[in-house]
Amino acid sequence: MTQIRFDGQAVLVTGAGRGLGREHALAFAARGAKVVVNDVADAEGGGPADAVVAEITAAGGVAVADTHSVADEPDGVVGAALDAYGRLDVVVNNAGISHGGMFDQIPAEMFDKMLAVHLTGTVNVTRAAWPHLKAARGRVVNTTSNSIFGITGTSHYITAKGGVLSLTKSLAMDGRGDGIRVNAIMPVAYTRMTAGIPDPVFRGFLEKNFTPDKVAPFVVWLGSEDVPVSGEIFSVGGGRAARIVLGVAPGALADTPEAYAAQAGQLLDLDGVVFPADATREVLFAAASLGLAQDELEGAWKQ
């Protein structure tokens, strides 16, 4: 098996001063990448990014620190890679913050801040990087969350991460013609963020079995030149990765509210679920369920 290498390539990892981001940065550097370690500075102007850069350089790797905000200074984040290395091949959008609370107890400013860092930060950095990724036929690895399956007390976080999932699907299609591959992970790992989980048993289970270093190898694969997938979402943790898909059940046919109410069980039945590759396929599946001819729709969509 040919070893995956990044010699001569530049990799940007946001939120890379600690936890998952640190492991991603170390892993890419160990395989020859020139890494930009992005993380916010502390009150004294230094910060965790410098410590990670020191680790990489001590091991013989190449790295620079960047302290620009992903939400407010995306051009500075991407500019750090261009200034240091003159190119950008891989972006790993990992930066995030944590905060909990029931929906009606989360201050509006905190909801906005969560969206700004997780979702808008991912959008902004990727937008700034996009022309350079076009030139390099580059790769993007986004970070969403398995919290979108449902969890109590963090609606702002789930909202942001749901947006990242949708963004990943969209960018994969937009980047296809330029050879840009965009995928996302749902990391399962014990970090500063998951250390705040209230349940001590579950928290201890994560700490013991799902260390951050077990996620990085998969991220490295998604960042590699020959990765064969784009637009995919994976749950990753503990040395395991699994594909996450959006499915559509056969559904029910009705024309009144009462008729739908009578078929609630059928609406929820997952027998015969399909997994559309894109929005077009989902509409075609709906058309088939209704017994409609699909030739006209397929032709129109291809024009």
Side-chain angles (χ1 to χ4, degrees):
M1 184 178 297
T2 303
Q3 186 183 39
I4 293 174
R5 297 285 303 177
F6 295 85
D7 301 294
Q9 298 184 48
V11 177
L12 164 64
V13 184
T14 68
R18 302 182 179 91
L20 288 165
R22 171 181 173 273
E23 297 296 340
H24 301 340
L26 293 174
F28 277 107
R31 290 173 177 267
K34 302 173 182 178
V35 180
V36 175
V37 180
N38 163 266
D39 213 321
V40 293
D42 56 28
E44 288 73 39
D50 292 321
V52 176
V53 169
E55 284 188 76
I56 291 173
T57 55
V62 178
V64 294
D66 172 68
T67 58
H68 289 96
S69 163
V70 297
D72 302 321
E73 305 168 296
D75 290 335
V77 176
V78 172
L82 302 178
D83 291 344
Y85 310 127
R87 61 183 295 157
L88 184 56
D89 300 89
V90 182
V91 173
V92 181
N93 287 305
N94 171 77
I97 58 174
S98 63
H99 175 265
M102 301 303 287
F103 177 63
D104 59 350
Q105 299 171 354
I106 299 172
E109 59 269 21
M110 179 50 73
F111 213 108
D112 292 344
K113 184 176 181 180
M114 189 69 71
L115 294 175
V117 175
H118 287 274
L119 178 55
T120 305
T122 297
V123 171
N124 288 349
V125 170
T126 306
R127 179 188 288 118
W130 201 252
H132 312 287
L133 294 172
K134 280 185 176 182
R137 299 180 68 83
R139 285 77 63 200
V140 178
V141 184
N142 290 329
T143 306
T144 181
S145 169
N146 64 4
S147 65
I148 67 172
F149 287 109
I151 191 171
T152 301
T154 181
S155 58
H156 50 352
Y157 178 78
I158 297 173
T159 299
K161 290 305 190 183
V164 172
L165 187 154
S166 300
L167 177 69
T168 299
K169 291 287 188 181
S170 177
L171 291 183
M173 298 188 74
D174 286 358
R176 185 178 298 162
D178 294 301
I180 302 173
R181 279 143 291 172
V182 186
N183 296 285
I185 61 166
M186 293 179 173
V188 182
Y190 183 79
T191 65
R192 287 190 307 152
M193 294 178 66
T194 52
I197 293 174
D199 185 345
V201 175
F202 186 59
R203 189 172 65 244
F205 179 79
L206 283 178
E207 184 175 12
K208 177 182 177 182
N209 298 291
F210 291 89
T211 54
D213 60 296
K214 296 293 183 65
V215 176
F218 192 78
V219 172
V220 168
W221 176 64
L222 288 181
S224 63
E225 286 183 293
D226 297 325
V227 64
V229 297
S230 191
E232 299 292 345
I233 316 297
F234 298 92
S235 172
V236 187
R240 165 192 176 271
R243 187 185 187 193
I244 303 293
V245 293
L246 296 174
V248 181
L253 305 180
D255 57 5
T256 68
E258 294 78 12
Y260 281 119
Q263 298 183 83
Q266 184 175 338
L267 282 166
L268 298 175
D269 189 354
L270 293 178
D271 287 345
V273 66
V274 298
F275 306 98
D278 54 38
T280 309
R281 301 303 111 184
E282 200 280 328
V283 174
L284 292 176
F285 178 61
S289 300
L290 291 164
L292 302 176
Q294 301 179 43
D295 293 347
E296 181 180 352
L297 179 59
E298 285 187 313
W301 222 293
K302 290 176 181 176
Q303 292 177 2

